[in-house]
Amino acid sequence: MKGYTTTGVILYVLFLCHIFSFNGGNILVTVNGKAQEYISTDLQTFLSAQGYRIDTVAVEINGEIIAKATYGTVVIQDKDVIEIINFVGGG
């Protein structure tokens, strides 16, 4: 980019990332009725970080059931409402 300094371009990109909470910004999400602040990530990483086993949960985001095959590509957004149902065995 002719006429722009590397530092100027980097500062501009950081500014845009901050404004749009791009890739890793803090977001407010309601999970099972409890609003909390989290770091923006994909659903699979989020579930693992919260201690859920992917094979034993069903997830709904904003009223839509999410297919397990898409957990790695679904990005949790600011103000999402997530319901997680954890299946447990027993008798």
Side-chain angles (χ1 to χ4, degrees):
M1 292 179 8
K2 190 172 183 164
Y4 297 98
T5 65
T6 302
T7 304
V9 172
I10 290 171
L11 289 174
Y12 180 70
V13 170
L14 289 173
F15 171 75
L16 290 177
C17 290
H18 174 72
I19 294 294
F20 295 107
S21 295
F22 179 74
N23 198 15
N26 287 337
I27 56 174
L28 184 64
V29 178
T30 302
V31 179
N32 293 341
K34 185 177 180 183
Q36 283 190 275
E37 198 169 278
Y38 296 96
I39 293 177
S40 181
T41 187
D42 64 84
L43 181 58
Q44 184 168 339
T45 302
F46 175 82
L47 291 171
S48 295
Q50 298 303 311
Y52 290 102
R53 287 183 40 205
I54 303 300
D55 58 331
T56 63
V57 296
V59 179
E60 177 186 276
I61 299 178
N62 302 325
E64 179 182 337
I65 297 172
I66 307 300
K68 283 189 194 307
T70 64
Y71 283 8
T73 59
V74 172
V75 177
I76 297 172
Q77 304 291 323
D78 191 36
K79 297 185 177 77
D80 275 349
V81 177
I82 302 172
E83 294 295 327
I84 304 170
I85 298 172
N86 194 23
F87 298 101
V88 293

